[in-house]
Amino acid sequence: MTKNWILKTVLLCTLFILFSCQKEKAKPEIKTYRAGVILSFDDAYVDEWFDTDQKLKQYSWKATFCVCKINTLRHYEIKKLLEFQKEGHEIAGHGLHHYHAEKFVKKYGIKDYFKQEINPMLRLMSFYGLKITSFVYPYGGRNPKLDAALLNVFKIIRGRAFCEEDASKQGCYFNHSKIVYSFSIDDTHNHFNIPHLMKLLDYAKKNDEILILNSHKTVENVTADYQTKNATLELICKYIRCNNMKFYTLSDLDNIQ
Ligand SMILES: [Zn+2]
């Protein structure tokens, strides 16, 4: 009789502990930040970006302009970049020559990569008064050794995401690391279309995620590859406003755990 009672008690305790553990595991993750979007723009389409900014200012939008070939820009273009910075947009580095980092390093080594592509870019951007803390890989070409070397100089690095049909499997959400990946919203990008973009935005909203997007030249009407319609950007701005989401810049991610 006593033995039976002890056995019953042990069994009940075990069940209770098991149940408690499962409950602990199922606890949802509490996010300390709001759902949002990072809109990043690559290369050097300063005039087009400036026109887009005039249209989208009404939405209090924030962009990250990832600039390459700073040495080829005219004085008036540098002034526009400084105005962006003053308005709260971020200017990021995208290489002095826009070299494919991984291919360059394979051929010439990492020391030459910094000597030709990174250090002169940072010197010139700092001379102009541009504060650079993020870097974006041209063509998304990267490897872990390059990531580690560049993270000695930059706080956040952005590559390009692999494309998946399923929104939840996309690698283009903030991943709590210093290396993040973006989804291209250029109009002729194979995987881009408005319903898919809406799926990505809905997923970010429902799961308190930060969606990272990239674009190149901003236009009213698409005439070639690497162009994003201003209408697409306006749609994103409206979505963010309607759903009480937030615009982030790449460097904002450095302050989020
Ligand atoms: Zn580029």
Side-chain angles (χ1 to χ4, degrees):
M1 189 69 187
T2 323
K3 211 177 165 189
N4 233 346
W5 183 82
I6 292 172
L7 268 173
K8 267 185 190 168
T9 313
V10 168
L11 189 70
L12 272 173
C13 285
T14 313
L15 279 173
F16 177 76
I17 289 166
L18 268 174
F19 182 69
S20 308
C21 288
Q22 272 171 358
K23 230 178 142 189
E24 196 66 39
K25 269 186 200 161
K27 217 169 163 184
E29 185 192 347
I30 296 165
K31 297 250 170 82
T32 53
Y33 51 85
R34 254 162 73 197
V37 172
I38 292 178
L39 282 173
S40 55
F41 298 85
D42 299 0
D43 298 346
Y45 300 105
V46 182
D47 286 337
E48 288 81 0
W49 298 339
F50 194 82
D51 291 346
T52 298
D53 184 44
Q54 300 307 309
K55 292 186 180 81
L56 300 183
K57 262 181 197 179
Q58 54 171 314
Y59 299 100
S60 306
W61 82 313
K62 289 282 166 283
T64 305
F65 298 107
C66 317
V67 181
C68 63
K69 301 182 182 175
I70 187 85
N71 53 332
T72 65
L73 294 191
R74 309 282 295 270
H75 181 62
Y76 79 92
E77 290 172 304
I78 302 290
K79 271 172 74 179
K80 285 180 175 176
L81 290 179
L82 286 166
E83 209 175 312
F84 285 150
Q85 187 173 260
K86 217 169 125 190
E87 282 175 7
H89 299 299
E90 180 181 352
I91 311 297
H94 191 42
L96 186 66
H97 304 283
H98 200 263
Y99 289 149
H100 188 294
E102 196 192 10
K103 287 182 186 166
F104 185 98
V105 166
K106 225 177 200 174
K107 216 166 167 187
Y108 305 105
I110 212 156
K111 216 173 149 189
D112 270 14
Y113 178 72
F114 272 77
K115 213 167 132 188
Q116 291 186 41
E117 184 74 337
I118 300 297
N119 298 340
M121 171 192 79
L122 285 175
R123 265 198 303 273
L124 198 52
M125 288 178 115
S126 153
F127 171 78
Y128 287 134
L130 299 166
K131 295 169 194 79
I132 311 300
T133 58
S134 309
F135 180 73
V136 166
Y137 279 114
Y139 316 102
R142 51 168 288 277
N143 65 40
K145 213 175 153 190
L146 261 164
D147 293 343
L150 287 164
L151 280 175
N152 288 322
V153 182
F154 301 99
K155 290 179 176 167
I156 295 287
I157 294 174
R158 198 211 79 204
R160 292 283 302 275
F162 296 105
C163 297
E164 296 272 356
E165 273 300 307
D166 185 347
S168 65
K169 285 188 183 146
Q170 284 278 352
C172 54
Y173 301 99
F174 176 47
N175 53 7
H176 301 269
S177 108
K178 303 296 176 191
I179 300 153
V180 295
Y181 306 93
S182 65
F183 177 81
S184 168
I185 51 166
D186 284 339
D187 216 70
T188 57
H189 175 224
N190 288 344
H191 299 265
F192 170 78
N193 57 59
I194 296 292
H196 185 64
L197 173 63
M198 297 311 286
K199 261 204 268 177
L200 297 179
L201 286 166
D202 286 344
Y203 183 83
K205 183 184 86 175
K206 277 185 200 130
N207 299 283
D208 284 329
E209 297 281 1
I210 299 173
L211 173 64
I212 305 164
L213 300 171
N214 78 270
S215 155
H216 290 84
K217 188 178 185 176
T218 53
V219 295
E220 283 301 306
N221 299 301
V222 173
T223 55
D225 288 341
Y226 300 104
Q227 296 185 352
T228 296
K229 272 187 203 162
N230 280 324
T232 303
L233 296 166
E234 189 155 17
L235 183 79
I236 296 169
C237 287
K238 283 182 175 161
Y239 188 98
I240 290 192
R241 192 166 67 180
C242 289
N243 291 289
N244 193 30
M245 285 163 72
K246 196 180 159 182
F247 278 111
Y248 292 89
T249 63
L250 278 177
S251 64
D252 286 337
L253 299 180
D254 187 45
N255 303 315
I256 301 174
Q257 293 308 306

